[in-house]
Every structure is written in structure tokens, then in C-alpha cells.
Amino acid sequence: MNDFYFMGQKIVNLLNPEGPEYELLLRSHSIPGFPAEQYVAYMTSEELHLEYLSFLEHELNHILALNPGNKFGLNLDQQELEYDATLDFLKKINPEFRGNLTIEITELPPLKRHKSYPKSINVEVIKQINLLGYRVALDDITQGNNSIGNLLLVMPYIHQIKWSYVHVINRIPNESIEGIIQFLNKLSHQFDLELVIEGIEASEISDWLVKNNITNQQGYLFAKPAGVEPIKLI
């Protein structure tokens, strides 16, 4: 596990630039970018996943202790929700830090189910994470297992939804993209959720979002991933 480390990418609220949040991005010393193959190996083996959780416990407590005024987002794969050890790990995080940590549930469905539940998403575990005092987000909404239908199932237990330009840019007309975003914006307001738009690389996109009252944004326009020991506020 010494090969893994975290970088952080800033999520800005353009109405409150002094209080940013950072998404923690898993990286490897031996592989550029996200270590997808290594990550899948640790997610699909319950034994290896225990090693990964030990790494997470150490790193998160360290990062949160060094950055007491900052908020962070940690991605959890839906495969991880299948393991009892994941909730056990979240219980070990210092309770005074939990309010500064958003658990981002990624869109990939579990590859191996270990639990029995009637829906396509593990509602009960997401509820338990919320009850432990964490903020919960659905990442990449409308992608993979994070459909609108599954969003409605977990709505009482989440605080934030994230949507990314990465999946649609240069693939569908701008009018269609804007229609998707406006729908998600109305939905988030109706259910009192934060909406974060990811993949912002152009100022004209950011400006259009602000004109439509969407001020939580993330992307290279604002910051590239950086170190987190500790993160320096910009």
C-alpha cells in the first residue's frame, strides 16, 4: 500500500471563495494518473480491501487533522459498500472530523454482491453512512448505477450530487447539455441538494453556470490536483 497516495482537487463555491472543498484523488507512485487496475484488484478482493481500508484510515485521519478548516470528498466505489469492513472503517474516523468529509458514492455498480437488497443500489449502507455523521454525495449522476431512479431511492440520505462534462462534451449539442444541467439544477433545488458541476475547463462554461445560479464548480479552470499535506488555500 506504500504505492498509493492522495492528491486533492479544489471544488469552488463562487459565492464563497474562502471556503473551498477538495476531492481526494487516489494516485500511485508507479503509474501515472488514476491506478485503475490496482484499484479494481483491491476492490474485488475482500482481503486486499482490508489493506486498502487500513491505508485509508491512516491517511484520512492524517489529512483531516492537518487541515481542520477544510472539507474533503472521498470516493467510495459501490463494491466497497458490499463489505461490512467499510462501515467499520468509517466508524474509526475521529467523529470531530466527520462533518468535514463527504463520502462520494461512485457510479460503478458492484462487481460482486455480498449483500442481499431488493434495489439496484445499496440504500441501507448509504443511510448508515449518513447516520455516522458524514455528508454523502452521488458522483457522476446519470452515469452507471447513479441513475435518476437510484438518486430518488437514496434522496433522504444524501447532501450533494455531482455531474461531469467529461461524459458529454463534444458528443451532444450544447443545447442538450444545458437542458440536462438545468433539469439537475431544478431537481437539486427541489430536494435541497448541492449540485456540483465537474470538468470545467473554459471560463464561458463557468460563466453560463453562474448565470443559471450554479456556483459549485470543479475543474482545471480553477485548479489542478495538488498535494494535501497540508493543502494551502488559494
Side-chain angles (χ1 to χ4, degrees):
M1 295 306 299
N2 291 334
D3 191 47
F4 286 161
Y5 66 99
F6 280 116
M7 300 190 79
Q9 186 177 29
K10 184 164 66 170
I11 304 167
V12 301
N13 181 338
L14 295 173
L15 291 180
N16 181 23
E18 298 302 318
E21 182 176 345
Y22 298 85
E23 180 179 354
L24 294 171
L25 304 173
L26 187 68
R27 294 293 182 262
S28 164
H29 291 291
S30 59
I31 299 172
F34 177 67
E37 189 172 332
Q38 290 173 290
Y39 181 76
V40 169
Y42 276 92
M43 293 308 103
T44 53
S45 165
E46 194 163 3
E47 182 177 349
L48 288 177
H49 188 247
L50 287 173
E51 294 182 28
Y52 180 71
L53 291 177
S54 179
F55 156 78
L56 280 186
E57 181 185 352
H58 175 269
E59 290 298 302
L60 281 179
N61 276 316
H62 183 59
I63 290 169
L64 292 167
L66 282 174
N67 299 274
N70 295 339
K71 293 183 178 181
F72 295 92
L74 173 71
N75 289 309
L76 282 188
D77 196 89
Q78 292 192 32
Q79 182 64 50
E80 296 182 79
L81 304 185
E82 298 293 305
Y83 305 130
D84 291 335
T86 301
L87 274 181
D88 293 339
F89 142 72
L90 290 172
K91 292 174 183 176
K92 294 177 182 177
I93 300 299
N94 191 327
E96 69 179 82
F97 296 151
R98 294 179 191 174
N100 289 336
L101 188 61
T102 298
I103 304 300
E104 298 186 15
I105 308 299
T106 67
E107 74 278 11
L108 295 177
L111 297 174
K112 297 180 181 179
R113 275 209 187 192
H114 293 256
K115 295 181 179 294
S116 176
Y117 42 94
K119 305 297 184 181
S120 58
I121 193 168
N122 198 331
V123 178
E124 183 58 30
V125 172
I126 293 173
K127 176 182 177 181
Q128 292 302 315
I129 294 172
N130 179 27
L131 291 175
L132 285 173
Y134 295 97
R135 288 165 45 85
V136 183
L138 279 195
D139 196 19
D140 279 334
I141 197 72
T142 73
Q143 296 294 314
N145 209 38
N146 287 350
S147 64
I148 296 299
N150 281 342
L151 166 63
L152 297 176
L153 291 175
V154 300
M155 191 78 77
Y157 315 116
I158 67 170
H159 306 80
Q160 183 185 87
I161 56 175
K162 303 183 77 175
W163 183 88
S164 177
Y165 268 89
V166 170
H167 304 291
V168 299
I169 197 75
N170 297 324
R171 296 182 182 180
I172 59 176
N174 284 340
E175 294 82 1
S176 299
I177 294 174
E178 291 172 0
I180 293 170
I181 295 172
Q182 287 169 336
F183 164 72
L184 292 174
N185 194 30
K186 289 179 181 178
L187 193 68
S188 63
H189 281 292
Q190 183 177 353
F191 291 98
D192 196 27
L193 302 174
E194 292 179 3
L195 172 63
V196 178
I197 303 297
E198 300 179 287
I200 308 299
E201 298 185 2
S203 58
E204 56 267 25
I205 292 177
S206 177
D207 292 343
W208 180 87
L209 291 169
V210 171
K211 288 178 183 178
N212 285 270
N213 299 312
I214 303 169
T215 57
N216 293 303
Q217 303 177 23
Q218 179 181 356
Y220 279 16
L221 178 65
F222 307 105
K224 294 183 178 180
V228 291
E229 295 191 23
I231 286 177
K232 295 180 179 179
L233 294 178
I234 297 176

